[in-house]
């Protein structure tokens, strides 16, 4: 299975400040169709994970534009330009290039200072 | 708006079979633009994909290696739902279980709809 490694494990951010989360994969997530099969999810406290970004850089419907994803191959980044209180929770990356053998990162917990 | 409604027992005895159901509204289990998944989450294993069913001219079912010998995913077109049956459970199967949709419209669009989760404890 493809191993997904996230860093940092946790992040404490002042509202209005930026935040960045890294995700690295043990194998390339670049498919022969030219797309990187890497998603980002946010699990707010007490809720199910919700889709933020798919195919490395595409924002899901309704996701604020302060969230952006980038990267290719084995290195990916989720950036939040200005963190808001509602952004707290655990962020996960997930690969589907090896579908159906989907694997998740261990998560990055974001809290507000 | 697509919604997934999960149901199933919160407590299962060791060696018994865990059965969970996910009822789909706003989409069809037979949709050729979707794949229907079961995922679980535990402190020790994190988020773990378990199984998938999808219809592409015929039904395809796939399983994680970790549960392949014990799991059955079953689509039910008459009730527009899909289920997971996990046999011979042990305390290691204690987790929150989620059903979720992967959406493919032209191309992959992510795991965009999730159920609320069912907390399952395996204990005598």
């Amino acid at each position: 299975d493809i191993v997904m490694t996230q860093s940092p494990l946790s992040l404490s951010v002042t509202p209005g400040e930026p935040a960045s989360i890294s995700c690295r994969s043990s194998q390339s997530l670049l498919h022969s169709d030219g797309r990187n099969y890497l998603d980002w999810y946010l699990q707010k406290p007490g809720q199910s994970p919700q889709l933020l970004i798919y195919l490395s850089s595409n924002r899901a419907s309704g996701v604020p534009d302060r969230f952006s994803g980038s990267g290719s191959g084995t290195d990916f980044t989720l950036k939040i330009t200005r963190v808001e209180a509602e952004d707290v929770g655990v962020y996960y990356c997930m690969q589907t290039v090896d579908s159906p053998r989907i694997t998740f990162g261990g998560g990055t917990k974001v809290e507000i200072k | 708006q697509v919604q997934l409604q999960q149901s199933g027992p919160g407590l299962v005895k060791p060696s018994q079979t865990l059965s969970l159901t996910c009822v789909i509204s706003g989409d069809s289990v037979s949709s050729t633009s979707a794949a229907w998944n079961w995922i679980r989450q535990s402190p020790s294993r994190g988020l773990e994909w378990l199984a998938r069913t999808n219809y592409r001219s015929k039904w395809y079912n796939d399983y994680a290696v970790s549960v392949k010998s014990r799991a059955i995913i079953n689509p039910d077109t008459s009730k527009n739902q899909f289920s997971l049956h996990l046999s011979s459970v042990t305390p290691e199967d204690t987790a929150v279980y989620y059903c979720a949709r992967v959406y493919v419209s032209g191309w992959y669009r992510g795991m965009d709809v999730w159920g609320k989760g069912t907390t399952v404890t395996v204990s005598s």
Side-chain angles (χ1 to χ4, degrees), chain B residues 22-115:
Chain B
C22 185
V23 178
I24 303 162
S25 58
D27 199 353
S28 169
V29 71
S30 304
S31 169
T32 54
S33 297
W36 305 98
N37 297 264
W38 286 101
I39 292 144
R40 68 183 177 185
Q41 184 175 31
S42 66
S44 59
R45 302 169 80 109
L47 285 163
E48 179 184 17
W49 174 82
L50 298 176
R52 174 184 83 172
T53 188
N54 61 353
Y55 184 77
R56 302 287 186 269
S57 302
K58 69 174 186 176
W59 288 103
Y60 293 88
N61 298 331
D62 299 286
Y63 301 93
V65 169
S66 61
V67 297
K68 189 177 177 70
S69 62
R70 300 189 291 131
I72 296 174
I73 188 169
N74 186 35
D76 184 340
T77 56
S78 67
K79 296 181 179 178
N80 202 30
Q81 64 186 35
F82 61 106
S83 58
L84 177 71
H85 304 281
L86 188 63
S87 63
S88 305
V89 296
T90 71
E92 288 280 299
D93 295 309
T94 295
V96 178
Y97 286 74
Y98 296 100
C99 57
R101 180 184 82 161
V102 163
Y103 186 50
V104 181
S105 176
W107 57 86
Y108 173 81
R109 306 292 182 129
M111 197 168 282
D112 67 335
V113 183
W114 293 66

Side-chain angles (χ1 to χ4, degrees), chain A:
Chain A
D1 284 357
I2 296 177
V3 177
M4 307 297 291
T5 304
Q6 290 183 231
S7 61
L9 259 60
S10 64
L11 209 47
S12 184
V13 188
T14 301
E17 293 296 303
S20 180
I21 299 170
S22 172
C23 178
R24 289 187 172 175
S25 57
S26 61
Q27 300 174 37
S28 176
L29 304 187
L30 180 62
H31 193 272
S32 56
D33 65 7
R35 299 182 173 106
N36 284 281
Y37 281 74
L38 185 283
D39 301 340
W40 290 98
Y41 297 82
L42 165 60
Q43 187 171 31
K44 296 183 178 181
Q47 296 185 19
S48 307
Q50 59 186 79
L51 176 65
L52 295 175
I53 303 285
Y54 63 94
L55 294 177
S56 177
S57 61
N58 295 272
R59 267 190 306 277
S61 176
V63 174
D65 60 8
R66 64 179 181 275
F67 290 93
S68 66
S70 63
S72 182
T74 61
D75 288 300
F76 299 88
T77 302
L78 176 71
K79 290 183 178 177
I80 311 173
T81 51
R82 293 173 302 279
V83 172
E84 298 187 5
E86 66 181 23
D87 300 336
V88 298
V90 182
Y91 290 77
Y92 295 96
C93 58
M94 180 187 93
Q95 68 78 22
T96 54
V97 76
D98 195 28
S99 182
R101 288 170 295 277
I102 294 168
T103 51
F104 295 85
T108 296
K109 185 174 183 178
V110 172
E111 61 176 21
I112 297 294
K113 278 183 183 174

